[in-house]
Amino acid sequence: MKKKILLVLALVLLMTVSCGKKTKEESVESEKESSSGSKIESTAIATSNDYELMNLSFEDVCRNSDVCVLAEYENVIPGEKYTEFKFKVKKVICGQLHDDEIYLFTIPGNVRVNGTNYTFVSGEEKYTKGMEYILILERFQMTFYAHDRYQQAADIMIVPKENKYVINGKKMNYTDESELEEDIKKYYSSVQHDILPEPKTYENVEEQMQAEADVIAVVRINRLISEGIYHDGNNYSCTLEKIEKNECSWIKEGMEIEIVLERGTVEEGKSYRIGFEPADKNSEGLIFIQTVIGTIKRGE
């Protein structure tokens, strides 16, 4: 199952307020274990374009990461609401990765590290084209992203060729790249990580929806609840009219639920056949996300 939403820097970032697997927008709460065994619960809190970031240790940043890589910086991709930095992966230090490119997602704003006097500006281009950096990354996947998005849980600048090892403005006690990599691997492997599924191929989008959607149903679009800012999905109130497939036993025909759907594909008051899945696989919630782009059809 896709890791569906946020983590660092701004959780007002990636999704609408009411949707997401571990969804966050105006406040962020991530449930990952710290080195002490307790849960790390609030990674970032966003107000406007000012953010408060949790003061994680380097060990916890590595433990919480999905993949750590040595990557060459290529270019910046500016957007109206966010900025992405594109890197070419040179080496995977630990974790899993199916792509040879990384898109580091940031929201421009002023960031303060909780409990410290350290602040920094997010979204600024601080990388040099052609230079190699070690990136310690968390991965976020969603139907409405053009590609996987990555974030770092701290202000990290690791440039091996310049012997630069800095986290949240503090120099780390490393002088050797191999020593750093060994510690990254040690911290990362100290906790269990989800396996990244291999990409699957299908004959068509209908076959994909049948395989991946937890629910396939004809739903009536009642009203628009909110529009996506950092992705191409809108959140709608919907009524379940006819259920074709149902792996979510807590929902029944006639119920009202919320579904995040591809922008521009539905109209209020009309019915559509849609495949979707829970925003949070770990609870019996009433917020869902469209599973496969290009599969919404007018209901009979």
Side-chain angles (χ1 to χ4, degrees):
M1 178 57 195
K2 302 165 190 170
K3 189 177 187 180
K4 279 227 172 30
I5 309 294
L6 282 182
L7 163 73
V8 189
L9 291 190
L11 295 207
V12 63
L13 335 197
L14 307 183
M15 292 191 64
T16 53
V17 174
S18 58
C19 87
K21 181 172 187 262
K22 291 186 182 174
T23 300
K24 352 271 179 183
E25 177 167 350
E26 291 185 350
S27 65
V28 186
E29 297 198 356
S30 174
E31 294 186 352
K32 297 191 174 184
E33 293 187 358
S34 70
S35 55
S36 63
S38 59
K39 297 290 184 180
I40 297 174
E41 296 213 342
S42 187
T43 4
I45 298 172
T47 305
S48 182
N49 275 8
D50 292 329
Y51 311 106
E52 186 172 284
L53 189 64
M54 209 172 169
N55 185 19
L56 298 182
S57 67
F58 180 65
E59 179 178 349
D60 278 332
V61 169
C62 296
R63 286 162 53 90
N64 290 352
S65 66
D66 292 303
V67 63
C68 306
V69 299
L70 175 69
E72 178 183 326
Y73 178 60
E74 294 191 334
N75 61 282
V76 61
I77 306 172
E80 183 180 352
K81 300 291 186 180
Y82 60 87
T83 302
E84 290 184 303
F85 300 100
K86 182 181 177 182
F87 292 83
K88 178 76 171 180
V89 176
K90 311 298 286 188
K91 178 175 66 173
V92 176
I93 298 170
C94 57
Q96 297 169 291
L97 192 66
H98 295 323
D99 304 311
D100 60 1
E101 295 175 339
I102 289 288
Y103 293 85
L104 185 61
F105 180 91
T106 64
I107 296 294
N110 301 307
V111 185
R112 181 176 68 86
V113 177
N114 183 269
T116 74
N117 294 322
Y118 182 69
T119 61
F120 65 98
V121 178
S122 173
E124 286 190 335
E125 188 172 14
K126 59 184 180 181
Y127 304 103
T128 301
K129 187 173 182 179
M131 185 68 74
E132 293 183 350
Y133 299 83
I134 288 180
L135 305 175
I136 304 171
L137 302 161
E138 301 208 22
R139 175 172 41 239
F140 301 98
Q141 299 175 303
M142 188 187 181
T143 303
F144 307 110
Y145 296 161
H147 45 249
D148 290 352
R149 290 176 175 173
Y150 293 83
Q151 289 182 295
Q152 297 198 104
D155 185 26
I156 297 174
M157 180 58 67
I158 301 176
V159 192
K161 289 184 179 179
E162 292 185 349
N163 199 30
K164 188 173 185 177
Y165 306 95
V166 178
I167 180 170
N168 290 339
K170 294 182 179 180
K171 185 176 180 180
M172 293 185 285
N173 189 28
Y174 292 103
T175 57
D176 180 77
E177 179 182 352
S178 61
E179 181 185 0
L180 172 76
E181 290 189 10
E182 286 304 312
D183 274 354
I184 290 174
K185 293 175 184 177
K186 179 178 68 175
Y187 299 147
Y188 176 88
S189 62
S190 67
V191 297
Q192 185 175 354
H193 296 266
D194 293 337
I195 296 174
L196 180 64
E198 290 289 337
K200 296 180 180 179
T201 57
Y202 299 93
E203 291 293 326
N204 50 58
V205 292
E206 173 66 23
E207 181 185 9
Q208 183 180 0
M209 182 176 70
Q210 291 286 347
E212 295 186 359
D214 290 345
V215 182
I216 300 175
V218 175
V219 306
R220 184 178 70 250
I221 308 300
N222 298 326
R223 64 187 183 280
L224 174 68
I225 295 176
S226 58
E227 296 184 6
I229 298 174
Y230 301 101
H231 61 82
D232 292 327
N234 289 341
N235 193 8
Y236 292 89
S237 166
C238 307
T239 297
L240 290 165
E241 294 187 324
K242 182 180 180 181
I243 297 178
E244 175 183 325
K245 173 186 177 181
N246 188 7
E247 296 180 4
C248 301
S249 60
W250 63 93
I251 63 171
K252 309 292 182 184
E253 291 180 1
M255 289 181 63
E256 184 174 331
I257 62 175
E258 294 181 21
I259 312 178
V260 184
L261 301 172
E262 182 183 359
R263 181 180 292 131
T265 56
V266 300
E267 298 178 38
E268 293 181 5
K270 296 183 179 180
S271 297
Y272 300 85
R273 178 177 178 266
I274 300 170
F276 50 94
E277 59 189 324
D280 185 350
K281 285 282 191 176
N282 298 315
S283 70
E284 296 185 357
L286 298 180
I287 303 172
F288 296 83
I289 298 176
Q290 179 184 346
T291 305
V292 182
I293 292 292
T295 53
I296 295 180
K297 298 179 181 180
R298 285 290 297 272
E300 298 178 357

